[in-house]
Amino acid sequence: RVAEESFQALAEAGIFKIAQPRRYGGYEMPVRTQIEVSAAVAEADGGTAWVVTLCNQCAWMTGLFPEQAQDDVWKDNPDARISGVVTPSSESVKVDGGFVVNGRWYYNSGSWHSDWAVLGMPVVDEAGEVTDHGIALIPRTDLAFEETWFVAGMKSSGSNCLIAKDVFVPEHRVISAPK
């Protein structure tokens, strides 16, 4: 994973706020800036740059959610970081007010340092029929963690597995996957 000292230095420099909405203390910068910053970090370490890139992209995705969901993430913790995997490698059940999600999301880069995760899921109706590919915004504390990233290259990306077991996700924290 990214060395803690390096991660804290990046956080203190505001690197993880590049794509975060301004109303929560972020910089809401363009994708070009994200790429340039990640390229500069990659000169020192590719795995760390990958984490910077994905955390910023996941912050951008979180900015697509309704304001209530964004408040859930950043209102009380404007420094919250988000990791994610949008592959719908899970199952969901429609329940009153939201969904119950079960699944495993491998290669979740930045998972060591995240407070929240954006995770792909099938959106289903009451009959269990898939109606859409969605993204769920889930607190990291609701997810189990399995260390699975034992590789030689991109070692510092810490791309492990997050696991949901009967996690309730309210409707305001599920959006249709951007197309």
Side-chain angles (χ1 to χ4, degrees):
R1 63 178 164 192
V2 176
E4 194 59 39
E5 298 85 356
S6 296
F7 196 86
Q8 288 307 314
L10 291 165
E12 288 171 15
I15 299 300
F16 298 107
K17 291 185 170 283
I18 290 172
Q20 183 178 351
R22 281 188 185 100
R23 69 180 165 275
Y24 300 105
Y27 308 134
E28 204 171 311
M29 294 178 149
V31 172
R32 182 79 198 151
T33 302
Q34 294 176 44
I35 293 167
E36 290 171 355
V37 168
S38 293
V41 173
E43 290 180 21
D45 181 59
T48 299
W50 186 249
V51 170
V52 165
T53 300
L54 290 180
C55 285
N56 276 301
Q57 282 301 296
C58 291
W60 173 79
M61 278 192 280
T62 301
L64 300 175
F65 281 80
E67 193 169 326
Q68 182 181 2
Q70 293 178 48
D71 281 350
D72 291 349
V73 174
W74 289 307
K75 186 175 180 184
D76 293 332
N77 181 9
D79 294 323
R81 288 176 294 272
I82 305 105
S83 65
V85 175
V86 296
T87 305
S89 55
S90 61
E91 297 176 350
S92 63
V93 175
K94 179 80 174 118
V95 296
D96 189 33
F99 299 88
V100 172
V101 178
N102 287 283
R104 300 173 72 86
W105 295 269
Y106 286 93
Y107 316 122
N108 194 302
S109 303
S111 55
W112 284 107
H113 304 285
S114 66
D115 301 293
W116 287 77
V118 287
L119 302 169
M121 63 169 270
V123 176
V124 297
D125 60 18
E126 289 78 9
E129 296 295 318
V130 175
T131 61
D132 198 2
H133 172 178
I135 298 175
L137 183 57
I138 302 176
R140 180 63 185 75
T141 53
D142 288 356
L143 301 164
F145 177 89
E146 183 179 345
E147 190 173 358
T148 58
W149 194 247
F150 304 104
V151 298
M154 296 290 284
K155 193 170 167 178
S156 62
S157 71
S159 302
N160 293 294
C161 180
L162 293 180
I163 305 160
K165 186 172 185 329
D166 297 326
V167 173
F168 174 73
V169 182
E171 285 180 14
H172 73 274
R173 284 204 253 126
V174 176
I175 61 169
S176 182
K179 295 176 175 119

